[in-house]
Amino acid sequence: MTAPTRLSVDEPSSAPHASRTTPASRYHDPAFLDAELGQVFRRAWMAACPEYRVREPGRHFLFEELGESIVITRDEQGKIRAVHNSCRHRGTRLVCKAGRTPHLKCAYHGWVYSHDGRLREVPEGGGFESLDRSKLDLVPVRAETFAGQVWINLDPQAPPLAATLGGIDREVAHYRLEEMEPIQQAVWELPVNWKAVLDNATEYYHAPIVHKQTIDAHVGATRPELVTYGDHTRQTLPIAPYEWRRWVDLRTSRGGPYTDKQLECIHKYLIFPNTLLNVLPYHLTVFQTFPIDAERCRFHYVFFKRRGARGLEWLRAYATWAASRYILREDVVILHLFQQGVRSGRTPEHVFHQYESAILHHERALTRWIEGRV
Ligand code: FES
Ligand SMILES: [Fe+2]
């Protein structure tokens, strides 16, 4: 397990210019995306859906990204499962949308599976010359839970999720993120490389320009701080230091105990490769991007408040949601321009400011995974 490493983004960097750059082709080259898909997305843990989508036994959710179709279920024993959405008779897709069913039944010839993926019924089974039913369960996918999300891994040999988190799971446990429930869940297709959305959400350099009327006007003098946990990062961003802030915090921060920093700063955990958890005691936002091709992605957005929020806590969660939607619009506008310019190929190399160090960390982790050094 990797111990967290603190990098103050205020410290002047002694690194030579050349080590703080990345080739622009990583944002538009299909060959680089192929490497990312094969070496990273096929091997890393990724959030697949909020856990509330499979709250009761029999409920299932459909994860359809990366060319995969995966059914996430909670079985009769209450255990989270994930299976490939393909019938073991002749491969037909079993599930077409999220829902709740007593079992998973193929619409073609009626083979029936329980929610743990086990084959239960084969109509007119005597008609098969030989059929070893024990080998015809649905093909399983690794699935675990953390931070109120179901995480999957396409690599059967991958280490357990907790062993890859570098201690982030222990750090966020106080927030009790499994208590969060959604205000809004949306998926948008964006004409930008999948990394650009996450880069933008974890760098502070653009804030005084893109968000000069919103974030930057309210963060005060404290600068953000970057902490690394192996391949993952945490960007700590101070928010709205108004006079009666502590009074509001005391009334809106269930869970805990929280440190002063957890109360005063939004903590942005980028779980490598593609899941960003924005955490405060009264809200959680999950950002995820999945590549469609080298220059398009699907952006999964879920904004949560704590279950049972009332009064001031409810108001603060909804006000934060409204503000974050406005800020997100500012980001999406600039991201369109980013990708249009990157595509031109006229800036072959990106050079990073100290406040963009989280991007550099992510880029270096990507390189290690692609070169097979992980
Ligand atoms: S393909 Fe599913 S039962 Fe035949
Ligand atoms: Fe932004």
Side-chain angles (χ1 to χ4, degrees), residues 51 59 65 83 107 123 132 138 173 183 194 269-270 286 348 350:
E51 202 178 340
R59 199 166 277 286
E65 291 293 354
V83 290
D132 184 350
L138 296 174
I183 289 178
W194 69 274
Y269 292 93
L270 179 55
V286 180
H350 296 182

Side-chain angles (χ1 to χ4, degrees), residues 200-201 203 206-207 210-211 215 327 331:
N200 177 75
E203 62 98 338
H206 74 281
V210 173
H211 307 301
I215 298 177
I327 292 164
D331 284 322

